[in-house]
Amino acid sequence: MWKRLKEFILKDVKDENEIKMYAVILRMTLLVMLLYYGVSLGNAVVMLRAAEGAGAVCGIALCIWLLWLTYHNRTRLAASVFSLSFMFLMLAHAHMFGTETSVFHFVYIQIVMLYVLDYLSLKWKIFWAGLAVLFRMGMYQYVMATDTLYTIGRGECAFWQGTHLITASVLLVVTVSAATQDFREMQDKLVTYNRKLKNIASIDPLTGLRNRRSALEYLQEEVERYGSGEFSALTIAIGDIDFFKRINDTYGHNYGDLVLKTLADLFKHFMKGKGRAARWGGEEFLFIFHNINGDDATEMLSELRHCIHHTDFRLGADVVRLTMTFGVSEYDLRKKAEDTIDDADQKLYRGKESGRDRIVY
């Protein structure tokens, strides 16, 4: 039963110009008001009051019609009619029983719904909210100056006060909960979307490593942390695949891409707990060693170099072994991070010129 009711309330609107959240809020509100009018009808039957009973029957019929509208792409019309019906309800109830029944609590629900059901511009919302307040004040003066249709005792007055307070509270909870839930969902979607955009902007699509821009951002963060004394060493290394152009020319770019992806996976695993690896450009990779000095980083890279030697790069029947050359430089607070990168880059080229497949520190 609850599942069917939930599906009934959450059924999507058909018109793309209608907003589902508005329809859902209005449906939940109308269901609450159906219960309210049902209570009113029951009270009219018990107390034998024809006018109250007729008003309750009209209210039930109106709620059913408005519910029907929300399922037939007329949510805006339903919201407008429902807002007007609140005024008639307050007017009729106050005329029958006076102002002591707290029926004017519904004014505040009307104002909340006016802002939640976002069909009007802000100036029109302010205008209608002000009009609702003036209506509330005018109704009070009107009822005080005229006789009520029915005279009720303390017990029934307390009954209506409790009914109106509970109904208004439930309407407020329903309206605000639905609106904030939708807002949270929109926020979550926006956060997810922004995260995807950030990943697109910061991740190299081929290798899945950080790209050059993202690597520089990460390095700047590390430099600031190092400068504040959070850790004791920061080392940068640049590695380049030896004779990569020959690999592309001989086996094709698909094989070259396979080499880059395989090495990237190897670097991700290798740098866990050590820092970050990034694709610096083409066949060059940047390694940022967190809290590791130059000597230790060189020793670690020696292990990586040995691992690359024994890695098979396969594409069909083709199997190739690769080598890489590395330049290593430890960061010094007296210099800029860019200077350390340049120093590592110069050492890389010295390694290339002196025979490749080596680490220069």
Side-chain angles (χ1 to χ4, degrees):
M1 176 182 175
W2 286 111
K3 183 178 180 181
R4 289 183 179 179
L5 180 61
K6 184 178 179 181
E7 290 174 353
F8 172 72
I9 294 173
L10 297 179
K11 185 177 180 181
D12 205 352
V13 291
K14 296 178 181 179
D15 191 342
E16 62 181 11
N17 293 319
E18 293 283 350
I19 300 176
K20 179 182 176 182
M21 182 198 66
Y22 298 166
V24 169
I25 291 175
L26 197 52
R27 289 166 191 167
M28 295 171 70
T29 302
L30 288 167
L31 289 175
V32 173
M33 292 308 296
L34 275 172
L35 292 175
Y36 171 82
Y37 285 121
V39 170
S40 181
L41 180 60
N43 187 69
V45 171
V46 171
M47 304 301 293
L48 300 176
R49 291 175 181 152
E52 182 183 358
V57 170
C58 290
I60 291 171
L62 179 66
C63 288
I64 293 173
W65 178 60
L66 295 179
L67 268 173
W68 182 85
L69 288 179
T70 65
Y71 291 98
H72 292 81
N73 304 324
R74 295 291 184 273
T75 304
R76 182 174 297 192
L77 173 62
S80 299
V81 174
F82 180 70
S83 183
L84 289 174
S85 75
F86 253 162
M87 289 189 172
F88 282 111
L89 167 61
M90 289 183 283
L91 176 62
H93 194 92
H95 183 68
M96 284 189 289
F97 303 116
T99 60
E100 299 301 320
T101 61
S102 303
V103 70
F104 290 133
H105 283 321
F106 288 153
V107 169
Y108 308 112
I109 304 303
Q110 190 177 30
I111 293 173
V112 170
M113 292 193 66
L114 181 68
Y115 278 82
V116 169
L117 301 180
D118 194 18
Y119 289 120
L120 300 172
S121 64
L122 180 59
K123 67 178 183 179
W124 279 108
K125 288 180 179 180
I126 294 173
F127 171 78
W128 285 111
L131 195 64
V133 173
L134 290 175
F135 171 81
R136 158 72 173 86
M137 296 168 64
M139 277 302 306
Y140 178 78
Q141 295 299 325
Y142 168 76
V143 172
M144 293 298 293
T146 59
D147 294 329
T148 59
L149 187 61
Y150 301 115
T151 301
I152 59 175
R154 285 188 176 182
E156 190 175 359
C157 184
F159 163 77
W160 278 117
Q161 285 179 350
T163 300
H164 288 138
L165 180 60
I166 292 171
T167 304
S169 299
V170 172
L171 288 175
L172 183 62
V173 170
V174 164
T175 304
V176 175
S177 296
T180 52
Q181 176 63 29
D182 186 76
F183 180 68
R184 284 195 299 270
E185 289 176 0
M186 290 176 63
Q187 279 189 316
D188 291 341
K189 288 179 181 179
L190 184 61
V191 168
T192 301
Y193 182 68
N194 286 338
R195 189 179 294 120
K196 287 181 180 178
L197 288 179
K198 186 176 180 180
N199 284 337
I200 291 172
S202 61
I203 301 298
D204 175 61
L206 177 63
T207 63
L209 296 173
R210 288 174 178 261
N211 59 23
R212 189 186 189 104
R213 183 185 65 81
S214 178
L216 288 173
E217 289 177 355
Y218 173 77
L219 178 58
Q220 186 58 42
E221 292 173 2
E222 289 293 277
V223 166
E224 291 175 1
R225 293 175 63 194
Y226 176 60
S228 65
E230 288 189 35
F231 51 89
S232 59
L234 180 63
T235 301
I236 296 171
I238 298 179
D240 183 85
I241 305 171
D242 295 329
F243 303 111
F244 186 72
K245 185 177 183 303
R246 185 187 301 172
I247 294 171
N248 274 332
D249 293 342
T250 304
Y251 300 102
H253 288 281
N254 286 339
Y255 190 88
D257 288 347
L258 172 69
V259 168
L260 293 172
K261 291 177 185 177
T262 305
L263 282 174
D265 292 338
L266 183 63
F267 297 157
K268 289 176 191 175
H269 179 75
F270 168 75
M271 291 299 288
K272 280 184 178 178
K274 301 182 181 73
R276 294 287 188 277
R279 189 178 181 188
W280 193 238
E283 65 272 23
E284 282 190 343
F285 296 88
L286 183 77
F287 301 86
I288 302 171
F289 290 91
H290 170 86
N291 202 25
I292 297 172
N293 61 33
D295 292 328
D296 291 339
T298 301
E299 196 172 314
M300 292 173 182
L301 286 170
S302 181
E303 296 174 7
L304 176 62
R305 178 169 157 269
H306 178 76
C307 185
I308 294 170
H309 285 173
H310 294 83
T311 299
D312 292 335
F313 297 88
R314 295 178 179 273
L315 183 65
D318 296 321
V319 180
V320 172
R321 294 285 180 85
L322 299 176
T323 61
M324 284 188 68
T325 303
F326 298 89
V328 182
S329 180
E330 186 173 337
Y331 175 71
D332 188 330
L333 279 172
R334 294 169 295 181
K335 297 181 180 179
K336 297 180 180 179
E338 291 80 0
D339 296 333
T340 308
I341 294 174
D342 290 341
D343 185 50
D345 198 42
Q346 291 172 15
K347 290 175 178 177
L348 167 66
Y349 278 99
R350 287 212 301 269
K352 291 281 189 181
E353 292 171 355
S354 59
R356 293 180 171 83
D357 187 24
R358 62 196 62 210
I359 302 169
V360 178
Y361 172 48

